[in-house]
Amino acid sequence: MSDGIDSQYTGNHDDNPESQYNDGKGVRYHISLKPLPPPLKKGEKRRKNKKIDDINRTIYVHEEESLADLLEAAAQALGYGDKLLFKVVSKDLRASNFTLKWSISRTDFKNMQLTTTDHFDEMISEATQKGTPAVKLDFVEFEEVANEGDSDDEPSTSKKRKLTEEEELMAETISQLKAAYNCSDKTCTSPVCYLGNPNGEHVRMTPILLNTWASAKLVGIEGVDLEHPPPDKMFQPVEGADNIDDIALLARRRNQANQASKSATPTITINNDFAGLAQLLRPDHAIAPLAPTQLAPIPRIPSPVKPVQMPFAAFCLAANLHPDVATKLEILEIAGPHLLEFIENSVLDQYLSVGNRAALRYAESQWKKGLIGYGGQNALLINPHT
Ligand SMILES: [Zn+2]
């Protein structure tokens, strides 16, 4: 029984009670992999009968574990953690670069196909008829099927050789991520999902997410590894979207959100009429000149999320800067606060006191955060201070 066994591995998730079999270790699997021959070097010819050694391992996996868990454990034990490409969808085992057969010694179950979870259930049920269940699993690796219709004559290895070392590392890291986050939830339409959020929601690992994660890991961003993505909210579920997998639904929601913000815009742009605002700001006019329906939608303490383009004078007013600031800088013809960052302090200091220049810079920083806008003026109007 011990021929060819060179390592042992026990796969069992913590939530299973101890296995009833093999001293609590689970079902014993003798796994064997017939690997693909290594890629040929230029000018080299494949010798027909050149023998490539099979890889043999023995693992124990708890009888309650799923097919995907078994394959994951087997792949790891074989040193093929990221190289056996598969996904269990509904009841199907979809393997893109290997075939799998199972046998139980001293029974009629020899070289049985393993392509569905029903096959797997049958295998477990037959194996556990015995006091010490043992199964032989035979993996045969084959060239990954790329896209249907791809020509076999074009060896994929020739493409791979053109990759730079960096690209290879990226590709390798991405396939590690894909293997680690392979989604076997049959209700989920995404092949690869990250579930690292409080509710375990499926965040679809799009190529962008995979690339971001892999490059963050490769450049050595602190705390980023195969288990920990970069601290970016793109790895968290979209708030309010309870089913991230439904892209159409998501798109609709985004659309609605956009529509909502578009329809909200006109109520804000009322105030783009600056003559009107100046009027508004005059204490004797107060709120009167605008019809209540026009004022109503303006939030009481608005804080625009983005900086709003506005004329410089209006900005000074909204920021409640000293009147000198606007008048003394008039000669510079600054169109709006968005240009302030391009003007050196030394220039401003020719016109402003240090205190006023500092106040202007502070206002600029507030404006960039979206804290100063037209809404701010209304806020001043509604709640005048000093
Ligand atoms: Zn998923």
Side-chain angles (χ1 to χ4, degrees), residues 290-364:
L290 279 185
T293 46
Q294 280 169 294
L295 261 184
I298 300 169
R300 197 160 260 264
I301 305 165
S303 55
V305 283
K306 286 195 297 186
V308 238
Q309 289 255 349
M310 61 200 300
F312 187 68
F315 161 75
C316 292
L317 210 56
N320 207 20
L321 289 169
H322 191 284
D324 274 357
V325 176
T327 45
K328 290 193 173 169
L329 292 183
E330 213 170 73
I331 191 164
L332 294 180
E333 297 184 332
I334 303 167
H338 58 289
L339 297 176
L340 281 174
E341 63 178 302
F342 304 107
I343 301 171
E344 307 265 354
N345 280 341
S346 58
V347 175
L348 296 177
D349 287 348
Q350 291 171 34
Y351 303 92
L352 302 178
S353 69
V354 170
N356 278 348
R357 188 253 289 162
L360 177 63
R361 288 300 191 202
Y362 176 72
E364 181 195 358

Side-chain angles (χ1 to χ4, degrees), residues 26-39:
V27 178
R28 183 180 202 272
Y29 293 91
H30 177 207
I31 50 180
S32 162
L33 170 77
K34 195 175 281 302
L36 267 179

Side-chain angles (χ1 to χ4, degrees), residues 183 185 188 190 193 195 202 245:
C183 181
D185 184 338
C188 179
S190 163
C193 291
L195 310 179
H202 289 232
D245 296 315

Side-chain angles (χ1 to χ4, degrees), residues 87 181-185 187-195 201-204 244-245:
K87 175 170 173 148
Y181 297 99
N182 185 306
C183 181
S184 54
D185 184 338
T187 63
C188 179
T189 58
S190 163
V192 188
C193 291
Y194 177 62
L195 310 179
E201 285 181 48
H202 289 232
V203 175
R204 182 187 289 262
I244 188 82
D245 296 315

Side-chain angles (χ1 to χ4, degrees), residues 18 126 183 236 243 245 337 381 383:
E18 187 170 90
E126 291 303 330
C183 181
Q236 294 304 316
N243 186 358
D245 296 315
L381 181 72
N383 183 19

